Amino acid sequence: MPTFHNPSGNKAYIMNMYTRPEYRRQGIARKLLTILINDAKARGVSFITLEATKMGRPLYENAGFVSEGIHPGFYEDPKEDANIMWIRKN
């Protein structure tokens, strides 16, 4: 959807993904992420970005996201840097 910062509407941002501890390691986040990526691409989105924790980074890398920077101290509890990650449609 076009916005002031994204006038073409071809960029998506994944804000929050969280899996409760008792449901982790079951492929739930991977499946949800795949659905989000496929839906975005079907809508003509060329770029998807997100900030990832150290724990979440492998999930996003396996989905094709690449780390392109760091937001120092982005997360508060616990205090942690965020990896700025992108996936680009080829």
Side-chain angles (χ1 to χ4, degrees), residues 35-52:
I35 291 168
L36 290 171
I37 292 169
N38 291 341
D39 185 64
K41 288 181 178 180
R43 294 171 184 260
V45 170
S46 300
F47 309 94
I48 305 171
T49 187
L50 55 81
E51 286 91 5

Side-chain angles (χ1 to χ4, degrees), residues 2 4 6 22 28-29 34-35 37 44 48 56-57 67 73 76 86:
F4 177 76
N6 180 25
E22 63 269 26
I28 296 168
T34 299
I35 291 168
I37 292 169
I48 305 171
R57 186 173 173 175
S67 180
E76 293 295 325
W86 288 86

